[in-house]
Amino acid sequence: MDRLATIARAQLRQLTVWWPALTMHIAMGVMFLCLGVFFGALTGVVGGVTWILVWPAMSLVVVGLGYLWLGPWVLGKQPDGTLAWYTALLLMPYFGAAEFAWYLVRVLGGEEPWHEVSRGLYLGRRVQHWEVPARIGLVLDMTAEFVEPVELRTGRIYVCVPTFDASAPDPALLAAAIAEIVGYQGNIYVHCAAGHGRSAMAMAVLMVARGVATDLEDAVAQMRKARTRVRLRTTQWLVARAALDILRAQNQLPDQHAA
């Protein structure tokens, strides 16, 4: 199953090479829409027990529209890290598949759950409470498709910027989150599902805002020394730069970045 997921991602990535305007974000949206339409059409043609596919078909169409147009709010991720009950019910097939995919990453990924990329700054995947780095006082959650384990969002500061996989949030939302946490003096854990894209984008902005990296390229280079699979997509680079521009306009960057 993990091999199939890897092959699917590789094919989507190849499509983005052949057609540069087709970002991974758009490719995933199109994929979800096509799967949803396929399942829906199958129920209409075959009938019988295949009507059970109407539920996953509906959830995939909603997620596809979220990727392409509506945004991550369709998943119902709330500021406290939970999912709205109505989206949890409507999109349960999608959430179940996302949970299963995360489990495969966790079990078969062959990578440590997190790495310290700068003093007191930890980057990683979504973790269970026993996997959290020691003395973490603040968690920045960049996922939209998961409920945050209750142990990670209680007894510490919890900040959430719901973002689709292989995508990026609104630059203003990312800048606001970084402005909120940049002055925190304790250990910070930034995560997404696997700890390679969405979370690395946020961590790069945080590192520049803290002055521990001279620019985004330096931040990514530092992260890759510790967590070698870190990779920002084109849209994530663009949003990270836009977020830094917002922070710069608000005088939130160290003096060496204010010019």
Side-chain angles (χ1 to χ4, degrees):
M1 193 70 184
D2 184 53
R3 179 175 174 77
L4 289 176
T6 301
I7 292 173
R9 279 185 171 271
Q11 292 302 314
L12 287 174
R13 193 173 297 115
Q14 185 60 47
L15 284 175
T16 65
V17 173
W18 291 336
W19 185 15
L22 181 67
T23 64
M24 180 64 79
H25 171 82
I26 296 175
M28 291 183 71
V30 171
M31 179 189 71
F32 284 128
L33 271 181
C34 290
L35 285 174
V37 171
F38 172 75
F39 287 148
L42 187 64
T43 63
V45 173
V46 180
V49 295
T50 62
W51 282 103
I52 196 172
L53 294 176
V54 168
W55 192 10
M58 185 183 304
S59 69
L60 289 172
V61 168
V62 170
V63 174
L65 289 174
Y67 265 95
L68 296 174
W69 178 37
L70 298 175
W73 68 265
V74 299
L75 300 186
K77 184 74 171 270
Q78 302 184 104
D80 65 355
T82 61
L83 296 171
W85 69 267
Y86 47 88
T87 58
L89 180 62
L90 175 65
L91 305 179
M92 190 179 295
Y94 167 75
F95 290 132
E99 195 74 34
F100 181 66
W102 172 79
Y103 179 79
L104 290 179
V105 168
R106 180 171 175 264
V107 174
L108 304 176
E111 183 181 35
E112 293 297 324
W114 51 263
H115 293 87
E116 187 176 17
V117 296
S118 186
R119 185 176 180 83
L121 299 179
Y122 296 81
L123 174 70
R125 61 165 168 78
R126 176 175 177 250
V127 293
Q128 298 292 355
H129 65 91
W130 61 83
E131 299 174 305
V132 182
R135 297 180 298 279
I136 291 295
L138 188 153
V139 172
L140 174 57
D141 173 12
M142 296 297 296
T143 68
E145 69 273 31
F146 297 110
V147 173
E148 188 77 347
V150 63
E151 296 87 356
L152 266 72
R153 49 189 167 88
T154 56
R156 54 174 60 91
I157 300 171
Y158 173 76
V159 180
C160 180
V161 183
T163 307
F164 277 126
D165 187 20
S167 184
D170 183 282
L173 293 178
L174 179 58
I178 299 302
E180 181 179 349
I181 70 175
V182 66
Y184 183 74
Q185 297 301 309
N187 293 344
I188 297 176
Y189 186 55
V190 181
H191 79 86
C192 54
H196 302 149
R198 292 169 285 181
S199 55
M201 169 190 59
M203 180 63 83
V205 177
L206 177 59
M207 291 173 70
V208 174
R210 277 201 162 187
V212 298
T214 56
D215 52 31
L216 292 175
E217 288 75 11
D218 180 39
V220 170
Q222 290 186 49
M223 284 188 284
R224 282 179 175 165
K225 287 180 181 178
R227 194 167 181 83
T228 56
R229 298 182 190 176
V230 162
R231 179 176 180 269
L232 270 62
R233 304 188 182 280
T234 300
T235 52
Q236 291 168 342
W237 280 106
L238 294 174
V239 167
R241 290 193 175 99
L244 281 177
D245 287 341
I246 293 171
L247 292 172
R248 184 175 296 109
Q250 297 172 346
N251 295 318
Q252 296 274 2
L253 297 186
D255 290 341
Q256 63 264 38
H257 300 290

